[in-house]
Structure formats: C-alpha cells, structure tokens
C-alpha cells in the first residue's frame, strides 16, 4: 500500500521538524515525488500484511460439547462470508474465568495470526478483554467479535451474570466433588 504525505504532515506523523524531513530527503532516506506545482510529496510504501485467521471457540463444560461444534460452525461460516482464509481452529472446554487455558495461551503467544475471530466476548475471556485487545494491537493483531455487546448496560449485565454463574458453578462443583468423595468412602467401607 502506497501513501503520499505533504512534508509538514509527514513531519507531524513522525514527531520531527520539517527541517529534519528536508535533511532526510537530501540524504535519500525517504522516497519523494515532485508535483508539477513544485510541491514535494513523501512516498511511503507499507507492505500489506497478509491476514492469517484463527478461530477460537469455548464452552464451560464437556456437557456443552455439542454447542462447541455448532459455535465453531457459525464462526467458520462468518469467516468464509468475510472472505478470510482460516489457518487454525481452536476449540476449548474450560471456564472463562480460568486465565490458564493452554490452547488460549498458545494462541495468544503465536504472533503469526493477525485476526482471532470469536462469537461472543465471553467465549474468549470473562474479564480483562480490553487489556488483551490493546496488547494484541501492539503487534498489529485484532480480535474480531462477531456479536459484540450492543451497549455499556448490556456489557455490564453480562459481566454481572458471568460472575454469578461462575461462582455458582464453582460451588456446585465443590458440592459434586464432596458427593463423589462420600460415595467412594461408602463403597470402600462396604467392601
């Protein structure tokens, strides 16, 4: 992609003085073009980074495994409709509050992907999404959310429901583990 800038505009974008830009022109450090009107333009060629897409789908428990497949199918359909070439599909089962999900961490550390497509924000992370997005932007990477929250109130309500759901699930899981332990003890005692 080729962009052309006036000298003053180029100086402002690069936080240097106009004199510095003129010095760069004299030293052939930057490409220029002289118009018929005797105006100089700076020509900047930026290579177009090819779009490499990864799809990420997640459900909270193995009981929702069928939902994982349909979620993935919807994201693939979306990516195909946008004309993206899908490089990798990642499916994961785990809590959105768990910040130690192996597949997600591997995806975040793999800088070869320019786009990560998810269906809903909470499928990627329950909290801290803005931080993750900003950090990925530093590498020229994007998280594309198919169904973003419509407004701040809806986003806040989703966060609130996420917290309650998560803690209820953890409590229920602890109770289930206690029942399993009691069952095991009873079986051992009956032998």
């Amino acid at each position: 992609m080729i962009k052309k800038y006036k000298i003053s505009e180029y100086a402002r974008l690069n936080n240097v003085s106009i004199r510095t830009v003129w010095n760069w022109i004299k030293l052939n450090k930057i490409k220029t073009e002289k118009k018929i009107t005797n105006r100089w333009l700076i020509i900047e060629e930026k290579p177009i980074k090819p779009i490499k897409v990864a799809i990420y789908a997640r459900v909270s428990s193995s009981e929702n495994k069928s939902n994982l497949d349909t979620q993935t199918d919807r994201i693939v359909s979306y990516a195909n409709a946008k004309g993206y070439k899908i490089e990798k599909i990642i499916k994961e089962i785990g809590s959105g509050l768990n910040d130690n999900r192996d597949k997600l961490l591997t995806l975040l550390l793999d800088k070869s992907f320019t786009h990560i497509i998810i269906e809903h924000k909470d499928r990627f992370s329950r909290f801290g999404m803005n931080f993750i997005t900003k950090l990925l932007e530093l590498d020229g990477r994007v998280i594309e959310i198919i169904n973003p929250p419509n407004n701040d109130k809806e986003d806040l309500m989703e966060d609130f429901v996420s917290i309650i759901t998560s803690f209820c699930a953890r409590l229920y899981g602890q109770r289930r583990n206690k029942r399993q332990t009691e069952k095991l003890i009873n079986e051992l005692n009956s032998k």
Side-chain angles (χ1 to χ4, degrees):
M1 180 158 85
I2 299 174
K3 286 197 166 195
K4 297 181 181 181
Y5 300 99
K6 294 179 186 176
I7 291 176
S8 60
E9 184 180 22
Y10 190 78
R12 189 172 4 92
L13 288 171
N14 289 283
N15 292 322
V16 296
S17 68
I18 293 172
R19 174 60 29 213
T20 301
V21 174
W22 278 111
N23 288 338
W24 289 347
I25 292 170
K26 288 178 189 173
L27 295 170
N28 290 324
K29 286 189 173 184
I30 52 180
K31 291 183 180 182
T32 59
E33 174 184 295
K34 190 174 183 179
K35 302 293 276 177
I36 299 171
T37 58
N38 279 338
R39 286 192 172 203
W40 288 84
L41 294 177
I42 309 298
I43 300 170
E44 192 174 80
E45 295 180 37
K46 288 194 176 185
I48 298 173
K49 192 175 182 182
I51 295 175
K52 286 187 71 178
V53 174
I55 287 175
Y56 182 80
R58 180 193 65 80
V59 292
S60 298
S61 68
S62 54
E63 296 164 359
N64 298 327
K65 197 168 185 172
S66 63
N67 185 23
L68 186 61
D69 294 330
T70 56
Q71 182 185 148
T72 304
D73 292 343
R74 288 189 301 267
I75 300 170
V76 167
S77 296
Y78 171 84
N80 289 335
K82 295 272 288 200
Y84 293 142
K85 182 181 178 212
I86 301 166
E87 300 282 333
K88 192 170 192 175
I89 297 174
I90 294 123
K91 297 178 183 180
E92 194 161 44
I93 297 172
S95 170
L97 287 175
N98 181 358
D99 62 353
N100 201 18
R101 286 177 271 147
D102 290 334
K103 292 179 181 180
L104 178 61
L105 292 174
T106 303
L107 176 62
L108 289 173
L109 294 173
D110 187 347
K111 293 185 178 186
S112 68
F113 296 106
T114 58
H115 285 60
I116 300 170
I117 302 177
I118 57 176
E119 187 172 25
H120 297 279
K121 180 183 92 165
D122 66 342
R123 298 295 88 203
F124 194 78
S125 178
R126 292 287 185 180
F127 302 102
M129 190 68 176
N130 193 39
F131 295 124
I132 296 168
T133 302
K134 294 297 179 194
L135 287 171
L136 290 175
E137 284 175 3
L138 291 174
D139 290 329
R141 300 162 66 200
V142 175
I143 297 177
E144 192 167 328
I145 305 169
I146 298 173
N147 297 310
N150 292 332
N151 57 44
D152 289 339
K153 185 176 181 181
E154 183 178 318
D155 194 30
L156 185 62
M157 286 304 294
E158 284 179 12
D159 287 347
F160 180 70
V161 169
S162 296
I163 291 169
I164 300 300
T165 303
S166 174
F167 283 106
C168 287
R170 287 176 66 189
L171 283 171
Y172 179 73
Q174 287 176 348
R175 286 188 201 125
R176 183 172 48 198
N177 288 340
K178 184 179 177 185
R179 284 193 302 268
Q180 289 173 345
T181 304
E182 288 169 353
K183 182 180 174 185
L184 181 63
I185 291 169
N186 289 336
E187 287 175 7
L188 291 171
N189 286 334
S190 64
K191 289 184 180 181

